């Protein structure tokens, strides 16, 4: 068990949260949520002991082992994969290293023998003899196959490193597990495996995630950082959302009734306070007025951008035909004879394990790449707006203010109009004068979305638009695309995003082409059934 007692934290005079009294118990998974900058990752660092709070303390049950998902992908480059996973239990690794050093001694003494005996006993109690096979099971479950198990970490691609570090955090079933965005860069199969693993884990799990489906699947509690405090709720993300919406609505209605009552009392007092026959009643109502309580609505740190795409014209009967497109990148064929036809007003999710294949296809469709073979044809009434997975070319080194940046990609002339659009995307006041080159990842995404909203296009193409966005921005984008009346082609690792938008699923991965008018969950069920048959 891990708990906090009166934990408070300030940064530069700004209070992130205060008086946090929380208890995290075994067998539960706690989803830590809050707006960007609310202090989610900082609170995890307080729990792990990486930073100290201004006030209060963190209490951990004596003897319990804590494991933290590491974010530094280069920290273990000098080790092989299996050793990196085993380092999730530092004490076990210390025993292994000390045993090896003793066995290698040329002048092995009686004292050494006694020490080795002690180490061997502790090693066995900790499950040391099955440690490597346990590590291999974790790695294989996450999709890191045997060929990588003894490779150097420095030789691995980033997406494999992410999985190895996740296996390290999970290794040995730690008593307390802290994870910051564990599903980032994971494929569908790895996410599903992780969900199942955490559901069965009897440890105390505290996780920060922007993946709503993941939070719904694994969390027994939600810990919300907002209004300058930290509150815990029993239930998953959807339960928390519904509960807080109801509570806020009830408070608004309660205040509305109180305001109406206040107005009636004030009118009566003003009318009859000078009337001798009504003076007692007026005095009585003054007392009621003094006792009337109108609760202040707390100011939330959550901010929701306004996302709404409106096409300038409807699409005609023909939208897009792709015929036999193939493309090789480097020495790898990422697209092989891909053919499909998109109909007007379809919302198509492109899925599969090969992110490069999806990005390459989108770049071909918007004219940024040429196919090696095959053709594609857009309908004459179509206009496309594209959200790339890498938007650095639009911002790196750009000296434009956001006002000038928006002008560059729109027909807007007056600054008031530009500021209005930037305000929708949460750039108000002086923020609109920031230079484009200094924007954070989430801010860049919001600018790109604003650019797309101003385009008036009737075909929207999104390549991983939810990356770098907080939950509030993801929800706004989710609703904006659902409400868009024309065609959408998109990729995303956000399960709920895909499930709630897509009415057709296409996988362009070489050797496993797939195309059906079904939902994302139905597609995943098909994949699971196929795996079960193997």
């Amino acid at each position: 068990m891990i708990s906090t007692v009166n934990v408070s934290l300030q940064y530069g005079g700004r209070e992130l949260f205060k008086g946090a009294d929380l208890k995290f118990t075994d067998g539960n998974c706690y989803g830590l949520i809050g707006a960007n900058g609310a202090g989610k990752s900082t609170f995890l660092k307080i729990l792990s002991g990486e930073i100290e709070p201004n006030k209060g303390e963190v209490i951990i049950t004596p003897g319990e082992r804590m494991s933290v998902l590491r974010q530094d992908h280069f920290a273990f480059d000098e080790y092989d994969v299996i050793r990196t996973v085993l380092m999730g239990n530092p004490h076990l690794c210390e025993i292994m290293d000390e045993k090896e050093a003793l066995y290698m001694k040329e002048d092995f003494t009686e004292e050494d023998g006694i020490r080795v005996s002690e180490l061997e006993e502790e090693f066995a109690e900790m499950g040391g003899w099955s440690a490597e096979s346990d590590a291999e099971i974790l790695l294989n479950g996450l999709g890191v196959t045997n060929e990588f198990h003894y490779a150097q970490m420095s030789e691995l691609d980033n997406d494999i490193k992410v999985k190895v570090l996740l296996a390290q955090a999970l290794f040995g079933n730690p008593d307390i597990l802290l994870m910051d965005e564990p599903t980032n860069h994971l494929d569908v199969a790895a996410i599903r495996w992780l969900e199942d693993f955490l559901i069965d884990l009897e440890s105390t799990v505290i996780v920060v995630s922007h993946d709503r489906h993941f939070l719904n699947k694994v969390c027994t509690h939600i810990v919300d950082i907002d209004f300058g405090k930290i509150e815990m709720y029993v239930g998953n993300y959807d339960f928390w959302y519904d509960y807080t919406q109801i509570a806020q609505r009830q408070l608004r209605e309660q205040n509305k009734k109180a305001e109406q009552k206040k107005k009636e009392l004030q009118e009566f007092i003003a009318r009859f306070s000078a009337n001798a026959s009504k003076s007692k009643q007026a005095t009585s109502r003054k007392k009621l007025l003094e006792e009337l309580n109108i609760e202040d609505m707390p100011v939330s740190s959550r901010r929701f951008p306004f996302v709404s795409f409106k096409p300038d014209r409807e699409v005609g009967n023909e939208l897009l035909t792709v015929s036999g497109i193939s493309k090789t990148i480097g020495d790898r064929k990422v697209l092989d004879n891909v053919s499909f036809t998109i109909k007007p007003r379809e919302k198509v999710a492109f899925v599969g394990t090969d992110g490069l294949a999806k990005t390459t296809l989108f770049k071909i469709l918007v004219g940024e790449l040429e196919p090696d073979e095959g053709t594609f044809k857009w309908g004459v009434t179509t206009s496309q707006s594209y959200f790339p997975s890498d938007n650095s070319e639009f911002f790196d080194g750009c000296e434009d203010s956001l006002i000038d940046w928006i002008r560059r990609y729109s027909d807007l002339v007056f600054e008031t109009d530009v500021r209005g659009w930037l305000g929708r995307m949460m750039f108000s006041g002086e923020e609109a004068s920031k230079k484009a080159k200094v924007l954070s990842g989430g801010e860049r995404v919001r600018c790109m979305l604003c650019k797309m909203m101003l385009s008036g296009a009737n075909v929207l193409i999104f390549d991983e638009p939810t990356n770098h966005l907080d939950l509030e921005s993801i929800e706004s984008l989710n609703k904006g695309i659902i409400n868009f009346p024309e065609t959408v082609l998109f990729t995303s690792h956000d399960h709920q995003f895909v499930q709630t938008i897509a009415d057709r699923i296409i996988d362009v991965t070489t050797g496993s082409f797939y195309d059906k008018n079904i939902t994302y969950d139905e597609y995943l069920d098909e994949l699971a059934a196929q795996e079960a048959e193997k």
Side-chain angles (χ1 to χ4, degrees), residues 28 30 219-223 232-237 239-240 243:
N28 290 315
Y30 300 84
C219 289
T220 59
H221 298 71
I222 293 295
V223 179
M232 184 182 292
Y233 302 82
V234 177
N236 62 13
Y237 178 80
F239 178 87
W240 165 85
Y243 174 82

Side-chain angles (χ1 to χ4, degrees), residues 38 90 99 110 129 172 189 237 254 262 282 329 372 428 480 492 506 510:
K99 278 202 316 166
E110 184 178 347
W129 296 112
Y237 178 80
Q254 178 183 314
K262 178 180 178 181
I329 303 293
D372 297 334
S428 57
S492 176
I506 295 179
T510 299

Side-chain angles (χ1 to χ4, degrees), residues 212 237 241 304 471-480:
R212 295 162 295 169
Y237 178 80
Y241 183 82
F304 290 82
L471 277 166
E472 292 71 41
S473 297
I474 291 172
E475 287 178 6
S476 296
L477 176 59
N478 204 156
K479 291 175 183 175

Side-chain angles (χ1 to χ4, degrees), residues 405-418:
W405 191 92
I406 289 294
R407 280 190 176 131
R408 182 189 295 192
Y409 297 109
S410 71
D411 297 328
L412 297 177
V413 176
F414 299 108
E415 184 171 320
T416 52
D417 293 335
V418 178

Side-chain angles (χ1 to χ4, degrees), residues 458-471:
N458 52 27
V459 179
L460 304 179
I461 304 173
F462 295 96
D463 193 355
E464 296 293 348
T466 57
N467 287 354
H468 307 294
L469 290 183
D470 57 18
L471 277 166

Side-chain angles (χ1 to χ4, degrees), residues 6 34 87 161 169 199 213 244 267 310 317 370 439 451 455 457 490 516:
N6 195 33
M87 290 171 75
K161 277 188 177 182
I199 288 169
H213 180 270
T244 52
E267 289 175 351
K310 289 184 169 56
N317 293 328
E370 290 288 331
L439 298 184
K451 171 179 174 288
S455 71
F490 72 102
K516 280 190 180 181

Side-chain angles (χ1 to χ4, degrees), residues 28-157:
N28 290 315
C29 180
Y30 300 84
L32 189 57
I33 63 171
N36 279 352
K40 302 183 296 293
S41 297
T42 302
F43 186 66
L44 276 190
K45 289 177 180 178
I46 289 174
L47 294 178
S48 69
E50 187 175 338
I51 63 175
E52 290 287 331
N54 299 123
K55 293 181 182 179
E57 61 178 332
V58 176
I59 301 172
I60 299 175
T61 302
E64 291 201 341
R65 182 171 71 87
M66 176 186 289
S67 183
V68 180
L69 175 60
R70 305 295 173 187
Q71 302 294 327
D72 185 354
H73 297 168
F74 305 100
F76 302 92
D77 277 0
E78 62 185 286
Y79 303 102
D80 66 29
V81 168
I82 289 291
R83 175 67 180 189
T84 300
V85 175
L86 296 179
M87 290 171 75
N89 189 338
H91 186 52
L92 179 65
C93 287
E94 289 170 5
I95 292 173
M96 292 170 66
D97 291 343
E98 188 177 352
K99 278 202 316 166
E100 184 178 356
L102 288 170
Y103 282 131
M104 293 290 289
K105 286 181 67 174
E106 292 183 6
D107 53 341
F108 192 83
T109 66
E110 184 178 347
E111 285 186 1
D112 292 333
I114 294 171
R115 179 57 181 160
V116 165
S117 177
E118 293 171 348
L119 291 172
E120 290 288 9
E121 183 178 355
E122 190 174 3
F123 183 71
E125 288 176 356
M126 295 181 68
W129 296 112
S130 63
E132 289 197 14
S133 62
D134 291 342
E136 290 178 345
I137 290 169
L138 287 173
L139 290 166
N140 286 324
L142 288 165
V144 182
T145 51
N146 293 346
E147 63 189 287
F148 297 107
H149 289 184
Y150 291 93
Q152 287 292 115
M153 288 288 287
S154 58
E155 300 171 358
L156 302 182
D157 292 338

